[in-house]
Structure formats: C-alpha cells, structure tokens
C-alpha cells in the first residue's frame, strides 16, 4: 500500500502550482499590454485591452487591403 500524501502537503503543492500559474498569467498579460502600448494591467481592463487589439487588427487589415489594392491597380509588385 502506498503512503498517502497528507492533505496539508497536497494543499501546499496545489497553492504553489496556482501561484506559479498566476505569475505566468500576469507576465503574459504584462507582455501583451507592453506590445499594445497600453498602460498596463492595473490601468487597463481586460475588456479594454481586447477592444484595443480588435481595433488594431481592423486597422491593420484595412491597411493591408488598401496596399494590396494599390499594388493590383498599379500592376507593380510592391517591392
């Protein structure tokens, strides 16, 4: 029969895992805020960040379409 790990030890292990996940989560969100040029996790909500990302992607897609249209109209390769 295997020795069972006491509940207190399992709880400490779970808390350590959770703390690691939280730290990684904060780090990733911090990198995303930095990438988007927002003021950071404290100053910008997740919803605001998502809206900002959507607006940025829309602008980029529109600009790509505009440039592709210009290249097609000119018949140039764009290089």
């Amino acid at each position: 029969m295997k020795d069972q790990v006491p509940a207190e030890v399992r709880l400490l292990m779970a808390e350590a895992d959770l703390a690691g996940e939280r730290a990684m989560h904060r780090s990733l969100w911090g990198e995303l805020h930095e990438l988007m040029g927002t003021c950071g996790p404290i100053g910008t909500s997740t919803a605001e960040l998502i809206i900002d990302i959507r607006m940025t992607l829309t602008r980029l897609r529109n600009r790509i379409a505009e440039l592709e249209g210009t290249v097609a109209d000119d018949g140039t390769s764009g290089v």
Side-chain angles (χ1 to χ4, degrees):
M1 179 181 223
K2 289 184 177 181
D3 291 332
Q4 287 197 347
V5 178
E8 294 84 5
V9 173
R10 289 189 312 227
L11 178 60
L12 288 174
M13 290 169 52
E15 287 175 345
D17 287 343
L18 181 58
E21 291 293 323
R22 283 183 177 155
M24 184 176 65
H25 183 262
R26 277 192 305 272
S27 173
L28 290 172
W29 277 106
E31 287 181 36
L32 187 53
H33 278 282
E34 183 179 328
L35 178 68
M36 294 303 298
T38 58
C39 53
I42 293 174
T44 306
S45 73
T46 302
E48 290 170 318
L49 180 61
I50 290 169
I51 290 168
D52 190 38
I53 291 169
R54 285 185 178 156
M55 290 182 348
T56 299
L57 289 173
T58 299
R59 281 195 310 271
L60 290 172
R61 287 181 183 126
N62 290 340
R63 182 66 177 139
I64 290 168
E66 177 185 320
L67 292 172
E68 287 175 343
T70 301
V71 169
D73 292 343
D74 290 350
T76 61
S77 64
V79 198

